[in-house]
Each structure stands twice: as C-alpha cells, then as structure tokens.
Amino acid sequence: MARCCEAPTLIPWQLWLEQHSLPSTTACIELGIFNLLAGSPRKTSDLASELSLCEVALEAVLQLMRTKKVVTLDDARWNILEAGRQFLVESSSFFAGPYLCTCAANKEAHDRLVARLRRAHFSTATLDQWRRGDLRGDLHRAEACIVHMHALHSPNAISAVPTLMRVLETRCATETASAGLSECPLALLDAGGGSGVYSVCMAKSAPLMRCDIGEIPEVVVAINGLGYIPPDVRTRVRPIQLNLFADDWPQGYDAVLLSSVLHDWSEEEAVAILQRACRALKPGGVVLVHEMPLADSDDCSEQAQLAAALSVHMALYTAEGAQRTVERMHEILCEASFQDVLTLPTASGFSVTSAIKARQHSKADSPGGPLQKEMCLQDDFTIVTGLATVPAMLQVYFMTCEKSFDVMRFLVHAGIRSSICYVCLDVWSLHTFPSSLGAWSHIGKLQTFISVAAMISGCDRASSHVHSTGYSAPSGIKMTMETK
C-alpha cells in the first residue's frame, strides 16, 4: 500500500479547521477578552468568571489564539502579545475590529461560537444518543457521519498505520504477541472505529491480525452497507456492536485502538472508556490512543494550529470534549490503571500514545512491586528505569517532541530474573530529527549514554549501531546490551 507523504495529508485538515480562526478572533473581540488581557494577565478560570463564559470553550479559543501569536500563556496566566495589543484591543489606533467583525461570511460561525462561550443553551440530545449507543434507527445520520469521517481520516490512516504497527509490535507483551505480528493471530478492538479505515489498513499490514470494529448498531449497518471493508480482509475485519459506555465490552484482545475517540468526551468519561478498554485487554495488552495532541508551549507550527482549531471544534459540538496535551493524556491513562505510557508522532499532527495493561506479578517479583526512579543527566536528557518481570527480550524507547530534542526520554525496562540475557534498544526518530549535520551530534550524545543505560540495566556489555536513511540526518540508533 502506498504511503501518503506528510504534506498532502495535512491539507484536508488545514482547509477544514481554518473555519474556526476568524470566528475565534472576532468572538474574543466582541466579548472583550483582548481588552481585559491588555489590562493584566489572567487565568482561564478568572476570565470565565469575570465574563460569565464557559471555561472549556474559552480555554479552546485562547489556545487557538496562542498558536496565532496573539496571546501567550505564562505561569497559567494568559497575556496578550504585541500584535494583539496593536490590532485587537479597542483602545489601539490600529484596532482591526471594525473590518474583522463585519465579514458577512463569518457571521453565522461567529454567532454560534459567541453563544457557546456565553453558556447559551447547548443541546446534548445527540451526544446522549451516542452515549446510550442508540441513534433510534436513524441510518441516514449514521451513514452521513461515517462518510464524513472516512473521507477525513483515510489519508491519515494510510500514513499513520506503519507507526501504529511498529508500536504495536514492540510494545504488546501478551503471550500471543511473543511470536511477532507476522506469525501470530493478534486480536485488536478498534473501539469507536467509525468506517474501520484504521482496522483495514492494519489488517493489510499483518496477514494474521484480526480486527473488530466496535460501533453502535446503526453504524455497524452503515459500515456493511457502504462497503468499506474490502474483500481481501473481510474474513479478519468485522464490525461488531459496542457501546463505549456499557460495561459489556468483549474481552481477550491483545490491543485496543481508540483513534479520535477520547477527544469527544470529558476527562472523566475518557477515563471510564479507558478503564473498559483495560478490562477488554489480556495482561500485557496495549492500548493505542491516536489523537491530535494540544501543544504545551507557544508552538505556532501548522500542527499546533490544527490541534488548537480542532479543540475549538470540540467545544462547539461536544459538551466537554477537547484536545489534550501529551502530558495530560499520560495522566489520564495512569488514572485508568495503565502503565509504561509512551507517545510518538504518526502523521498530520497526530500522535499515538500507547500504554500497557499490567501483568500479574508472581512471587518471584520484587515484594514492593515495580520500582521507578529518574536520573537527570543533563538538562535535555532523562533516563527512567523501571524494574518489572518481562520476557527475555526487553525494549528501550526513545522519543522526541515536535521541537526536536527539547525533551528526550529513555524508558529502560530492567529485568530482575536471571533468565534475562540481553536488552535490545531500538530508537527511531519518525522524521523528528532535524535535517542537518547537527543531528549527528545529538546521536553522539545518545551513544555516550549507552554505557549508563547498560549499567542501570545490569548489563555487562553494550554496543550500538546508527541507522541512516541516506539523508543528511540519521534515522535512529540501535543498541544491544548483554549479560553474562
């Protein structure tokens, strides 16, 4: 299957989500948000209280304005930047409000967003139907929703699935997965999977994988009727009825995929969904949360703007849905009793956050359970070690954030059983390395820490090898550590 390049997969999202930029700006002007921030910095909660606004929707709008270099967030307080002071504050000689706010094409979207911010009546009837898993037989609405989501997510799925499969292969620790994806009938539940485009792409990548697309009854009928599951995978990919908020999820899966699902719901509801996903997994199973994460800094990249605009979209069409930062998603997964949380970028501004369902600990394990500690070696490096009973082959993961090497983490799983004979470190950049010769100096830093990682893991010998894709930047580094 041909892989879409990154730029084209961004285009549909950019064109679709740009609809929220001007209404967010004019809503802030009409509600006096920029004027207040010009007076003094304020927390979101303070602004919401002063202006009697919905805090969830206000946070989303301010995050979008942040990516447009209008406001900044410092110590949990919003402050207006110079461009905002010059053009968006009424007292400025260059105030642009008169022509921004009179754009006729913007009026309907502007009024809808202002009403949402002002806590105007927000109907939850549609959300309640999805929560109950019952659209009352409205197949037309189910088909319209699936067609929309399939068109939006198909290019992204093709680009993202190679990374999803690699994460699945290296992270899933169930007994079934021990033979590798090419040799084992791995079972995946695509919960809230829509048209099933991710399941289809994943099944095509792994000839023995079985994927169940969990959806409400009307959507199951729509998937079958629209023919989204091609004949070559129809025996391994099937839609099944599933209510995300019911307690009767099928069980025994090696993996659960939640792609663009959790952002529809509040954090409490997201935790509840993840808890059900955890029960559906075998011990050692992996959950894959595929979302567009919100930036946690003044990031003005295209990806950051898309995530912020999507969060405004969630504020408009859900009760408490929102995009969340990587850090917050990690916390939510831990609240749902998952362990070993790791985030990696996929495509079009999306990232996959994977986490493991804990195995049952035997008496041979350490009496205090898994141990974890941090060693800060330099400002931009942190080695995290955890003691746990795992198979003979252990994995070490490396990740970077969108700004290459602002954050680096090694997750070193150190075995405590004598049967552990070696550790394989497989580090991949997923195109986050800067395309310059400077990247090689970062790889040099990585290699200098191999001996430290080996020492922490109790290994006697360590070696490494740098992978190159033929471009000016390295694509990754692989290390093997051995014990006597």
Side-chain angles (χ1 to χ4, degrees):
M1 181 181 295
R3 177 172 178 169
C4 295
C5 59
E6 178 68 5
T9 62
L10 280 174
I11 291 174
W13 292 92
Q14 291 169 328
L15 295 175
W16 177 52
L17 291 172
E18 188 58 33
Q19 63 176 302
H20 298 301
S21 294
L22 184 56
S24 294
T25 306
T26 56
C28 286
I29 291 173
E30 178 174 326
L31 296 171
I33 293 171
F34 295 138
N35 293 339
L36 279 178
L37 292 180
S40 63
R42 285 168 165 83
K43 294 182 178 180
T44 306
S45 56
D46 295 337
L47 270 174
S49 177
E50 287 183 65
L51 298 173
S52 299
L53 302 179
C54 170
E55 187 172 339
V56 172
L58 177 59
E59 177 72 18
V61 167
L62 288 171
Q63 289 287 355
L64 180 55
M65 293 296 96
R66 185 186 190 184
T67 68
K68 301 295 184 181
K69 301 182 181 180
V70 172
V71 299
T72 185
L73 185 64
D74 185 23
D75 193 25
R77 286 177 169 79
W78 294 100
N79 195 7
I80 193 164
L81 295 173
E82 186 58 31
R85 289 182 183 275
Q86 285 195 19
F87 301 112
L88 302 175
V89 175
E90 289 185 38
S91 59
S92 170
S93 302
F94 305 102
F95 179 51
Y99 63 85
L100 290 177
C101 294
T102 54
C103 177
N106 178 54
K107 185 174 182 350
E108 183 179 350
H110 167 90
D111 290 346
R112 186 190 311 120
L113 183 54
V114 169
R116 181 73 178 101
L117 284 162
R118 283 178 169 162
R119 303 174 183 270
H121 176 66
F122 181 76
S123 175
T124 61
T126 299
L127 287 171
D128 291 340
Q129 287 180 349
W130 284 95
R131 188 182 287 103
R132 291 194 307 268
D134 179 16
L135 294 185
R136 298 184 179 181
D138 191 344
L139 294 179
H140 176 73
R141 184 145 58 102
E143 288 185 357
C145 178
I146 293 305
V147 168
H148 168 80
M149 298 309 295
H150 185 81
L152 187 62
H153 285 280
S154 291
N156 193 49
I158 296 171
S159 294
V161 160
T163 301
L164 294 177
M165 296 303 293
R166 185 160 190 181
V167 171
L168 184 58
E169 185 170 20
T170 56
R171 296 275 280 161
C172 186
T174 61
E175 293 181 3
T176 308
S178 60
L181 292 182
S182 61
E183 301 179 19
C184 67
L186 209 68
L188 177 137
L189 174 61
D190 187 358
S195 71
V197 62
Y198 282 92
S199 286
V200 168
C201 290
M202 294 177 83
K204 285 178 175 288
S205 299
L208 297 181
M209 177 180 281
R210 174 174 63 84
C211 300
D212 289 342
I213 308 164
E215 269 294 355
I216 62 176
E218 291 84 353
V219 174
V220 169
V221 173
I223 294 171
N224 289 324
L226 294 169
Y228 282 133
I229 303 175
D232 59 329
V233 295
R234 198 166 291 161
T235 59
R236 296 183 292 117
V237 178
R238 59 170 186 166
I240 63 171
Q241 292 188 13
L242 177 72
N243 179 358
L244 293 176
F245 294 98
D247 292 324
D248 56 350
W249 283 33
Q251 298 184 3
Y253 291 97
D254 299 284
V256 172
L257 173 65
L258 292 160
S259 185
S260 297
V261 171
L262 299 185
H263 70 169
D264 289 333
W265 310 101
S266 69
E267 292 190 354
E268 293 76 13
E269 290 168 320
V271 170
I273 292 171
L274 286 168
Q275 288 171 336
R276 292 176 173 88
C278 191
R279 290 194 291 270
L281 287 167
K282 301 174 184 176
V286 60
V287 64
L288 306 173
V289 178
H290 194 232
E291 298 270 1
M292 192 180 287
L294 200 64
D296 57 2
S297 62
D298 287 345
D299 185 353
C300 300
S301 66
E302 288 182 333
Q303 290 85 351
Q305 292 183 40
L306 289 178
L310 187 55
S311 205
V312 172
H313 192 81
M314 293 298 106
L316 279 169
Y317 296 103
T318 71
E320 295 184 73
Q323 303 308 118
R324 297 169 179 109
T325 64
V326 169
E327 181 181 4
R328 185 61 191 132
M329 185 56 67
H330 283 219
E331 293 170 350
I332 290 172
L333 280 158
C334 290
E335 289 176 29
S337 300
F338 282 98
Q339 299 179 351
D340 296 339
V341 187
L342 174 70
T343 295
L344 291 168
T346 57
S348 304
F350 277 74
S351 291
V352 55
T353 300
S354 60
I356 310 299
K357 177 177 179 177
R359 285 179 173 273
Q360 295 293 328
H361 294 288
S362 68
K363 294 181 179 179
D365 295 341
S366 58
L371 303 176
Q372 193 168 10
K373 64 178 180 178
E374 289 192 1
M375 289 180 54
C376 295
L377 301 178
Q378 289 187 9
D379 290 340
D380 56 350
F381 284 91
T382 301
I383 286 185
V384 181
T385 65
L387 299 180
T389 303
V390 290
M393 183 178 229
L394 307 176
Q395 299 293 330
V396 184
Y397 299 96
F398 160 70
M399 63 170 286
T400 72
C401 63
E402 288 295 326
K403 293 181 179 179
S404 297
F405 300 98
D406 281 357
V407 177
M408 292 185 176
R409 295 178 184 171
F410 286 98
L411 300 180
V412 182
H413 297 271
I416 64 172
R417 290 182 176 175
S418 59
S419 61
I420 303 296
C421 59
Y422 64 95
V423 178
C424 176
L425 169 59
D426 193 5
V427 179
W428 64 96
S429 67
L430 300 170
H431 310 294
T432 57
F433 283 94
S435 55
S436 66
L437 293 178
W440 290 103
S441 66
H442 289 294
I443 283 295
K445 289 183 181 180
L446 291 176
Q447 290 180 286
T448 62
F449 288 108
I450 288 176
S451 59
V452 178
M455 177 185 67
I456 293 172
S457 300
C459 296
D460 299 302
R461 186 158 57 90
S463 62
S464 65
H465 175 69
V466 175
H467 299 289
S468 175
T469 57
Y471 299 101
S472 59
S475 62
I477 177 172
K478 185 172 185 177
M479 176 182 72
T480 300
M481 299 190 293
E482 299 178 359
T483 59
K484 294 179 180 178

